Amino acid sequence: WQLSHFEKEVRPKVADLSVMAFIKVVAELSRDRDLAALCEHPLLQSRMPDFRVSVGFGLHLGWAIAGAIGSEFKIDASYLSPHVNLAIQLEAATQDYGVTMLLSEPLVRSCNPAFSRHFRPVDHVQLAGSKNATQLFTVDLDTSALSLDVLSKRRGLAARSVANDGALAKLDFMREEYEVHQQLALDKHVRQMRAPFVTGFFQEFERGFLNYLAGEWDVAAPVLAKTRTMLTTVGGGEDGPSKALFEYMKSHGFEAPVSWPGWRVLCLK
């Protein structure tokens, strides 16, 4: 997505669509029948019991230099920039936070407020190669809530048909009356993935998160310990961001450093 190709007034919608595109990718991968069948292969199960395909995406907004690398037989696009490296770090950090995607603060600020208010801030960190600290956000999705698509073969034909007319589809999304944030409630698969994340959970996590940022770790720890398992009571799993923050505070004896600035240097595993 190259924002410079769009008028300034529609760029927030383009940012919204970039995030929604990855939400839809997560849903489709989780529902794919062929991928599910592959996971049940006896050889795979013997090596990695209960294996499931999982993905992690790092989404960031910044400049990059695009170029072609290859030969007359095969050419690939390549993108060079410190911002590309930041996106790579975000993708890697999804494993540490146990989420399907991490969004950078510049991207979140570029989205429409009606959409970005649904993103959860999960940490305030300084990434390698960056001079400034940035907040990290996620879109909470529970892929285990989705059932397999029994019509995947038929949908494949429809998907190819839409792909042939992709330009018209993009124009349809850019209509003024199409509001991306409404898809969180209208799309049934997105709605299913977000169902376990109830208001009470977000309120409790925000309380613990703000105490964490303020250096009041003795207050933040029990709150985040609660939200770490809170989703299991409504059919969800352990909350990854709560676990990541709790374990970080635990490694410091639940006492913030004297010079705690409200953020930390993110050391990827």
Side-chain angles (χ1 to χ4, degrees):
W1 297 79
Q2 297 186 35
L3 287 182
S4 60
H5 290 178
F6 298 90
E7 298 293 333
K8 287 186 177 181
E9 58 269 19
V10 300
R11 290 180 184 178
K13 173 173 275 192
V14 175
D16 291 353
L17 287 169
S18 70
V19 177
M20 181 56 68
F22 282 96
I23 294 176
K24 296 294 187 71
V25 167
V26 171
E28 291 304 305
L29 287 176
S30 301
R31 300 178 63 245
D32 189 86
R33 184 176 60 181
D34 294 332
L35 277 178
L38 176 64
C39 293
E40 296 299 325
H41 193 283
L43 288 178
L44 185 58
Q45 284 294 318
S46 66
R47 291 177 177 271
M48 293 178 286
D50 300 322
F51 174 79
R52 287 193 64 180
V53 173
S54 60
V55 292
F57 297 109
L59 281 65
H60 177 58
L61 175 66
W63 61 267
I65 299 174
I69 295 179
S71 67
E72 58 182 305
F73 300 104
K74 187 177 186 296
I75 297 178
D76 293 319
S78 179
Y79 301 90
L80 301 175
S81 165
H83 297 282
V84 174
N85 296 333
L86 292 181
I88 292 173
Q89 291 183 67
L90 292 177
E91 183 274 328
T94 57
Q95 297 186 49
D96 294 342
Y97 290 94
V99 295
T100 54
M101 64 179 69
L102 282 174
L103 287 61
S104 70
E105 191 171 346
L107 174 60
V108 172
R109 290 185 181 276
S110 297
C111 292
N112 282 298
F115 189 42
S116 63
R117 70 182 182 87
H118 296 282
F119 305 161
R120 176 166 55 131
V122 296
D123 210 345
H124 194 193
V125 302
Q126 183 182 46
L127 299 168
S130 178
K131 295 181 179 180
N132 302 315
T134 180
Q135 282 209 66
L136 303 183
F137 297 79
T138 191
V139 180
D140 291 294
L141 304 170
D142 180 10
T143 57
S144 66
L146 296 176
S147 56
L148 292 180
D149 181 5
V150 296
L151 301 176
S152 58
K153 296 297 183 183
R154 189 179 304 171
R155 284 192 321 102
L157 294 175
R160 285 193 291 274
S161 175
V162 172
N164 293 332
D165 204 12
L168 288 178
K170 183 175 289 188
L171 286 175
D172 187 55
F173 291 142
M174 296 305 295
R175 289 182 297 110
E176 185 177 351
E177 52 272 28
Y178 182 87
E179 298 189 29
V180 181
H181 73 274
Q182 293 181 347
Q183 294 303 304
L184 295 174
L186 296 177
D187 187 292
K188 76 173 184 178
H189 301 131
V190 177
R191 193 169 63 244
Q192 289 172 351
M193 289 191 293
R194 290 184 58 79
F197 301 94
V198 296
T199 302
F201 166 78
F202 287 123
Q203 291 174 339
E204 280 295 291
F205 180 85
E206 182 180 26
R207 184 163 68 92
F209 180 65
L210 291 177
N211 286 132
Y212 160 76
L213 293 182
E216 300 169 350
W217 290 5
D218 56 328
V219 179
V223 178
L224 293 175
K226 176 183 177 181
T227 56
R228 181 174 179 173
T229 59
M230 193 173 177
L231 297 174
T232 60
T233 62
V234 290
E238 182 181 48
D239 182 54
S242 296
K243 176 183 177 182
L245 298 183
F246 182 87
E247 293 298 329
Y248 177 72
M249 291 187 292
K250 181 180 179 181
S251 68
H252 288 76
F254 299 108
E255 185 174 339
V258 176
S259 58
W260 171 250
W263 53 267
R264 63 185 175 116
V265 176
L266 185 62
C267 300
L268 298 175
K269 296 178 181 178

